[in-house]
Amino acid sequence: MAEMRKPIPVEEAINRIWKRRITGEIEHVSIRDCDNRRLAEDIVAKHPVPPFPKSPYDGFAFRSADTIEASRNNPVTFKVVEHIGAGQVPEKILHKGEATRIMTGAKIPDGADCVAMFEICQTYEEDNQSFMSIKRTMDSGQNIIGEGSEVAEGEELIEKGTIINPGIKAVLATFGYSQVKVAKKPVIGVIATGTELLDVGEELQPGKIRNSNAYMIESQIIRAGADYKYFGKLEDKFDSSYDMINEILNEVDILITTGGVSVGDFDLMPAIYEKLGADVLFNKVAMRPGSVTTVATNGEKILYGLSGNPSACYVGFELFVRPIVQHYLHNSHAFQRRVKAILGDDFPKPNPFTRFVRCYLLYENSRLYAKLAGIDKSNVVTSLAHTSGLMVLPGGTRGFKAGDEADVLLLDDQQGQPEFKTI
Ligand SMILES: Nc1nc2c(c(=O)[nH]1)N[C@H]1C(S)=C(S)[C@@H](COP(=O)(O)OP(=O)(O)OC[C@H]3O[C@@H](n4cnc5c(N)ncnc54)[C@H](O)[C@@H]3O)O[C@H]1N2
Ligand code: MOO
Ligand SMILES: [Mg+2]
């Protein structure tokens, strides 16, 4: 008789793996290569921004007090004593009745406390001297971008673990980070098991299918921010599979195999784990798909025996691998963000186990809807192409109707959340 396995709740399975999480090392990369990496240090303003008071306009800088008497019928005239562009440093200190012709981004001269745009100033030349006049009053500080007005020195700006996007890159450049401290990516080994598997370039043969899991998992690894190393596909043969897995374990931080974890005659992973002396954390989870997902540890390394069924494999990665990768990458929001959405379709199946239903999300009339991505069976591959979320339908429910509310895990979101449960 086949071995009876005792299913554990999803949360318990996640907890058991979570206890084995490790934080990855830090490495320096050029700012040019830091996109989509995760910061391994908090970014703090190294200096005020802007570092000097500057002009937001092309115009004239002068003392606002000199315009107290100015009006439409009473223009006030200034002698233009200097002319500076961005990058030039003013040399003149402005006194009463003096102005500096100043361009956007240039440092405000000492003595000046306002800038008037060219559009409200009249200019003329007399005896080789430039003059400017203005017919309105100006306030002290008007049109001046004060030193540190955006950010003060020492202000905390970006938390470590945050993914680097174009805006963050601009901040890094502003503070002179030519080298950026980022979290080292874990290297995840990928092996597909199954005598039925063909390579992607091969023609179909009777009884055989193309290996889609390896490509899917590699892509999930990239989406999670890690690196993969593909070791090929293995036939369901014990000795060669054991030798290969035993050998490559030193080359990776985490190992993912797909297939061979159920109770079939050619499901070899349980016996391989046993021979390796790996510590099996669980081999049955009260969830669908992916109930046979098996996870073991060998020293610090986590070995994921994901199911061969494509959708079970996909869900197993998102639930059990991704958070571990995120923690490795110093992300304190390691779990997928979980939001409430309205079901756009009926889902009439009763759920004895927690079910993770493939769905996609859309906004309509400022409400978030989750619609079924396709057939929701474990052995189905094509619905994955339309999946951007996983609806979490709790065990013990009798099915759902369009219009009901459900939790959805967002798969393309980078914000994440610190815990698996709804927060
Ligand atoms: N008697 C029982 N049979 C099964 C049980 C059970 O509890 N008792 N569980 C079922 C469930 S649930 C799942 S899920 C599958 C899990 O199977 P395995 O993880 O052992 O995977 P395989 O047997 O190797 O393959 C299953 C299925 O997936 C296809 N496959 C495998 N690898 C790939 C790949 N790289 N790319 C695409 N497709 C792949 C394979 O051809 C099979 O069709 O077991 C049930 N059975
Ligand atoms: O537990 Mo399986 O992964 O649902 O088909
Ligand atoms: Mg099997």
Side-chain angles (χ1 to χ4, degrees):
M1 201 177 88
E3 160 207 6
M4 289 300 286
R5 298 183 183 176
K6 194 175 154 7
I8 60 167
V10 181
E11 288 78 4
E12 171 65 17
I14 290 173
N15 278 340
R16 287 188 193 178
I17 306 174
W18 190 240
K19 286 194 185 126
R20 308 302 184 104
R21 70 194 183 278
I22 53 172
T23 311
E25 288 172 11
I26 288 170
E27 64 182 349
H28 286 85
V29 294
S30 154
I31 188 168
R32 295 219 164 269
D33 302 323
C34 73
D35 288 272
N36 297 319
R37 301 295 300 266
R38 292 212 175 248
L39 282 169
E41 62 177 329
D42 292 333
I43 301 299
V44 173
K46 289 183 181 176
H47 56 69
V49 182
F52 52 85
K54 64 181 183 180
S55 174
Y57 296 126
D58 305 315
F60 292 95
F62 48 85
R63 297 157 20 121
S64 60
D66 297 350
T67 61
I68 285 174
E69 304 291 326
S71 68
R72 190 185 289 236
N73 301 319
N74 184 34
V76 177
T77 298
F78 292 85
K79 189 173 161 188
V80 180
V81 297
E82 200 175 11
H83 181 185
I84 56 164
Q88 286 176 292
V89 178
E91 287 170 2
K92 299 263 168 57
I93 299 173
L94 295 188
H95 302 104
K96 187 171 167 41
E98 292 177 343
T100 293
R101 191 176 170 93
I102 191 168
M103 303 305 128
T104 304
K107 185 173 188 289
I108 303 290
D110 287 343
D113 68 350
C114 70
V115 169
M117 300 164 80
F118 282 148
E119 290 85 334
I120 64 163
C121 302
Q122 290 73 48
T123 54
Y124 61 93
E125 300 270 322
E126 213 171 85
D127 299 335
N128 269 342
Q129 171 63 50
S130 296
F131 291 91
M132 177 280 283
S133 70
I134 182 168
K135 292 180 177 174
R136 64 175 86 167
T137 58
M138 296 288 292
D139 297 327
S140 179
Q142 195 172 342
N143 298 338
I144 296 219
I145 307 175
E147 173 178 325
S149 57
E150 181 180 326
V151 159
E153 183 174 339
E155 205 172 303
E156 285 175 24
L157 297 176
I158 309 162
E159 209 183 314
K160 114 173 152 179
T162 307
I163 199 158
I164 297 172
N165 64 20
I168 290 179
K169 224 167 151 175
V171 172
L172 293 169
T174 297
F175 292 108
Y177 287 87
S178 55
Q179 295 287 310
V180 184
K181 253 193 207 176
V182 295
K184 207 167 175 180
K185 296 181 183 187
V187 176
I188 305 184
V190 177
I191 292 178
T193 72
T195 302
E196 74 278 30
L197 300 178
L198 298 169
D199 269 330
V200 63
E202 289 187 83
E203 286 300 319
L204 281 183
Q205 294 165 26
K208 307 231 172 187
I209 55 164
R210 293 194 188 93
N211 168 16
S212 57
N213 285 352
Y215 296 93
M216 174 185 79
I217 288 291
E218 287 164 13
S219 183
Q220 287 177 288
I221 290 172
I222 293 169
R223 179 164 70 179
D227 277 337
Y228 70 81
K229 213 167 180 180
Y230 180 52
F231 293 99
K233 55 189 177 59
L234 295 178
E235 288 188 34
D236 298 314
K237 290 185 179 154
F238 186 86
D239 290 335
S240 48
S241 298
Y242 171 82
D243 290 345
M244 164 73 119
I245 290 172
N246 191 29
E247 191 184 308
I248 64 166
L249 265 179
N250 344 323
E251 295 182 39
V252 298
D253 299 303
I254 290 170
L255 179 64
I256 294 178
T257 56
T258 80
V261 284
S262 185
V263 293
D265 296 341
F266 303 102
D267 290 338
L268 304 172
M269 290 315 297
I272 290 175
Y273 289 155
E274 195 178 324
K275 187 166 176 191
L276 281 172
D279 180 11
V280 176
L281 304 183
F282 55 84
N283 60 12
K284 188 96 180 167
V285 189
M287 65 186 245
R288 279 279 147 78
S291 62
V292 293
T293 307
T294 300
V295 179
T297 54
N298 190 312
E300 274 209 329
K301 297 190 179 167
I302 305 181
L303 316 182
Y304 288 93
L306 300 184
S307 165
N309 271 329
S311 289
C313 184
Y314 182 96
V315 169
F317 180 95
E318 294 301 327
L319 289 182
F320 303 124
V321 187
R322 193 180 187 277
I324 292 296
V325 170
Q326 292 304 303
H327 182 82
Y328 191 100
L329 296 173
H330 301 226
N331 182 6
S332 60
H333 289 61
F335 295 89
Q336 283 96 349
R337 196 143 68 95
R338 191 157 166 160
V339 297
K340 296 265 182 226
I342 300 160
L343 268 62
D345 299 298
D346 290 344
F347 190 81
K349 266 191 219 165
N351 301 297
F353 287 168
T354 307
R355 185 178 276 277
F356 295 90
V357 179
R358 280 144 272 158
C359 66
Y360 63 95
L361 292 131
L362 46 102
Y363 279 101
E364 257 168 32
N365 302 324
S366 38
R367 303 177 81 180
L368 184 63
Y369 287 86
K371 293 190 62 84
L372 299 181
I375 304 171
D376 202 68
K377 292 219 166 103
S378 171
N379 52 30
V380 159
V381 66
T382 48
S383 60
L384 291 170
H386 309 289
T387 298
S388 59
L390 295 174
M391 269 181 232
V392 188
L393 304 185
T397 48
R398 299 210 51 77
F400 285 76
K401 285 205 158 28
D404 288 351
E405 199 180 57
D407 284 9
V408 178
L409 300 174
L410 305 181
L411 303 181
D412 292 321
D413 168 77
Q414 292 294 2
Q415 189 181 333
Q417 62 179 51
E419 288 173 73
F420 173 69
K421 55 178 190 279
T422 321
I423 49 170

